[in-house]
Amino acid sequence: MCNVVDFNTDEYHYKLPVIYGTFCEKAINISQLRENTGFITFDPGFKNTGITKSSISFIDGEKGILLYRGYPIEDIINKCSFIETSYLILNGELPDTAQLNFFSEKIKKFHHIHKDIKKILYNIPNFYHPMGILSSLTYILDAFIQCLQEEDLYLHLLAKLPILAALTYRKKIGVPPSHADRNLDYISNLLKMFFSIPNQSYEQNPIISDALNKILILHADHEQNCSTTTVRLLGSAHSGLFSSISAGISALWGRLHGGANQAVIEMLETIFKNGGNVNKWIEKAKNKKDPFRLMGFGHRIYKNFDPRAKIAKKVAENVIQQLGISDPILDLAKNLEENALKDSYFVEKKLYPNIDFYSGIIYQAIGFPKDMFTVMFALGRLPGWMAHWKEMKLNREPIGRPRQIYIGYKKRNIKK
Ligand code: CMC
């Protein structure tokens, strides 16, 4: 293992220190490069730039590995609840029984929101997208929570974001709010707040709870993705937790990021309505003159397979089969995946289905409408965003402020 890399030009001979991670991932530390040579590095989209040292999650994109705090995602999915996973991601270790009870009970204590926030929500037009509502109201929450302990703020957000999501949904379909029940666990409460029928006792369905638990775990963290980087960048300017999370939600909304789950279902439905000829759409995706992309395919980091997509596909198949639903969209998705994976364009560019290819099918089977899919992703990603915000703060990271190469006018004078 080398400790330095030589940077040689005709003018400069400079040694750049090398940093190694737990799995021998290597990075050249260029933080003093400009000071010593005048050069900066150029990397649009941060494709090859490490912005921090982190101990929350690890991805090996070539091998399709994802670890949360060292535990493989396949292990967590089979042995943990979403709320245990949230504790793990936020605190670094899995909770023992007492810690889990304390964590869950405290979240339940914060399971209410101020009536004035409800008023604001009820004044937002129904056509506005739930992601815009969630982002705005997360920001506003800050004004209504007087909390001295930072640890409690994380629990307030875990408690309150599902309420905002469920209220948004129920208001849109014209149904009165359903409150959380102290006897229910986190996932059952989430489902109750969304789907309970007024004046009827809420019946839990373990198949649905299990599917939701699993898909939220799959979303829980994913190292320095676009929304997490957004949260860290805001936090680095010492912006508050709520505004940083609100910005993360806005970043996630984009179609190339979390918004892809809604876009995938819309794409699959369009293909289905147009006769289901998947090869025609694969050709369209390959055509560089056509802006169409195969939504739910490709990933910045995964270049072999996305381990989350493999699990999500199984969860989708199980939930659909166990609920006895016949969903032609799942068959179409499998057909599209099979054909794309045989196509040389997708093979050469290493484009595989990502988590969003199957997550929409799961949400649809549970009963969420399409415009709620990305909101569910946000609820799943919340522990990850908060853990990164907390880590960034504990590390006392400097304000995020990239440089640029200026290509505009040279200095000129106004002629008048
Ligand atoms: N369909 C067709 N071509 C694609 C696709 C696609 N889905 N994805 C990438 N390509 C092509 C792209 O045109 C480019 O071709 P070329 O080298 O000829 O210019 C090449 O593959 C590399 O793509 P890129 O856009 O440079 O890669 P990136 O790392 O900047 O983007 C991505 C990654 C996920 C934004 C992109 O693959 C994409 O747009 N996928 C569809 C949207 C999607 O499913 N997003 C969800 C991502 S996973 C959930 C999450 O955000 O965490």
Side-chain angles (χ1 to χ4, degrees):
M1 293 211 303
C2 60
N3 292 323
V4 287
V5 164
D6 288 320
F7 175 82
N8 290 327
T9 67
D10 291 344
E11 210 178 335
Y12 297 104
H13 301 283
Y14 179 59
K15 290 196 183 304
L16 294 157
V18 176
I19 302 170
Y20 290 94
T22 304
F23 293 98
C24 291
E25 328 88 271
K26 41 188 191 272
I28 300 166
N29 182 346
I30 53 99
S31 56
Q32 302 298 312
L33 181 66
R34 185 172 176 280
E35 209 171 306
N36 288 300
T37 67
F39 281 93
I40 62 164
T41 55
F42 186 67
D43 183 24
F46 307 134
K47 291 195 174 196
N48 206 27
T49 294
I51 58 155
T52 190
K53 290 180 190 168
S54 180
S55 54
I56 303 168
S57 54
F58 170 78
I59 302 174
D60 183 329
E62 275 69 37
K63 295 191 183 136
I65 293 172
L66 170 62
L67 311 178
Y68 292 165
R69 300 283 191 185
Y71 297 112
I73 187 69
E74 294 80 2
D75 213 13
I76 294 181
I77 275 288
N78 289 322
K79 297 179 186 158
C80 298
S81 66
F82 173 67
I83 210 69
E84 282 177 281
T85 309
S86 302
Y87 185 100
L88 168 73
I89 286 176
L90 266 170
N91 298 303
E93 296 295 340
L94 279 167
D96 60 25
T97 312
Q99 287 166 326
L100 183 60
N101 282 343
F102 183 77
F103 191 72
S104 310
E105 287 308 311
K106 205 130 191 221
I107 291 173
K108 285 182 191 173
K109 213 176 118 195
F110 298 147
H111 249 150
H112 51 82
I113 58 165
H114 198 283
K115 61 178 181 355
D116 288 347
I117 296 188
K118 280 189 204 156
K119 268 194 209 156
I120 298 171
L121 169 61
Y122 275 78
N123 279 297
I124 300 175
N126 269 342
F127 62 78
Y128 193 50
H129 196 285
M131 281 299 273
I133 298 177
L134 188 68
S135 173
S136 317
L137 294 185
T138 300
Y139 202 108
I140 298 283
L141 268 181
D142 202 9
F144 292 86
I145 295 173
Q146 271 83 45
C147 186
L148 296 177
Q149 298 217 332
E150 190 174 296
E151 290 300 314
D152 280 356
L153 290 180
Y154 305 130
L155 305 186
H156 269 290
L157 281 169
L158 280 168
K160 288 177 169 48
L161 260 57
I163 304 179
L164 294 178
L167 277 178
T168 302
Y169 166 69
R170 292 180 82 95
K171 175 211 161 217
K172 192 165 179 175
I173 60 167
V175 176
S178 166
H179 301 290
D181 178 340
R182 289 208 86 158
N183 297 316
L184 294 179
D185 63 30
Y186 191 82
I187 294 289
S188 308
N189 255 327
L190 212 166
L191 288 166
K192 176 189 179 286
M193 289 192 288
F194 263 90
F195 299 122
S196 69
I197 300 167
N199 306 320
Q200 283 187 24
S201 63
Y202 174 66
E203 296 263 335
Q204 290 186 61
N205 181 333
I207 299 167
I208 287 184
S209 301
D210 183 59
L212 184 59
N213 187 54
K214 289 196 160 90
I215 188 69
L216 293 190
I217 291 175
L218 292 181
H219 288 318
D221 192 46
H222 214 230
E223 51 122 292
Q224 310 306 321
N225 57 84
C226 176
S227 55
T228 301
T229 300
T230 302
V231 170
R232 285 188 91 116
L233 262 183
L234 257 87
S236 76
H238 295 188
S239 299
L241 177 66
F242 288 69
S243 50
S244 303
I245 299 296
S246 158
I249 295 169
S250 298
L252 188 77
W253 188 4
R255 279 166 61 89
L256 296 188
H257 193 10
N261 59 11
Q262 180 178 344
V264 167
I265 289 288
E266 286 166 353
M267 171 189 80
L268 292 171
E269 286 177 351
T270 306
I271 298 176
F272 186 73
K273 273 187 212 137
N274 285 283
N277 181 352
V278 292
N279 287 323
K280 192 177 112 193
W281 293 82
I282 290 173
E283 287 310 311
K284 228 170 122 54
K286 287 156 58 177
N287 181 356
K288 293 290 170 199
K289 289 188 193 132
D290 190 326
F292 175 76
R293 276 189 169 199
L294 218 50
M295 298 312 287
F297 259 76
H299 199 273
R300 172 64 61 78
I301 309 282
Y302 294 119
K303 298 298 170 198
N304 183 338
F305 67 93
D306 178 342
R308 304 169 305 168
K310 275 196 172 177
I311 300 170
K313 183 179 181 180
K314 269 200 202 128
V315 176
E317 285 169 343
N318 284 345
V319 73
I320 279 178
Q321 191 227 330
Q322 288 173 334
L323 292 176
I325 304 171
S326 132
D327 187 356
I329 295 295
L330 175 62
D331 297 330
L332 184 91
K334 286 196 211 166
N335 187 11
L336 180 59
E337 176 189 0
E338 201 182 310
N339 280 277
L341 291 182
K342 281 194 284 202
D343 192 288
S344 59
Y345 173 96
F346 288 86
V347 173
E348 278 157 26
K349 295 190 188 297
K350 300 186 173 155
L351 301 171
Y352 296 85
N354 57 53
I355 173 86
D356 288 328
F357 196 66
Y358 286 103
S359 66
I361 293 176
I362 301 171
Y363 289 133
Q364 194 136 287
I366 292 175
F368 293 108
K370 287 192 271 289
D371 63 0
M372 275 290 157
F373 293 178
T374 316
V375 167
M376 300 317 294
F377 190 158
L379 299 186
R381 182 55 55 85
L382 179 62
W385 287 331
M386 296 193 294
H388 281 272
W389 192 87
K390 186 175 167 184
E391 183 181 70
M392 176 272 320
K393 225 176 142 201
L394 284 172
N395 289 351
R396 293 170 177 270
E397 287 179 13
I399 187 165
R401 205 300 184 191
R403 287 185 176 266
Q404 63 166 20
I405 295 294
Y406 174 69
I407 54 165
Y409 286 110
K410 287 198 166 156
K411 188 178 172 199
R412 55 186 178 150
N413 298 321
I414 297 171
K415 291 190 183 106
K416 72 170 181 181

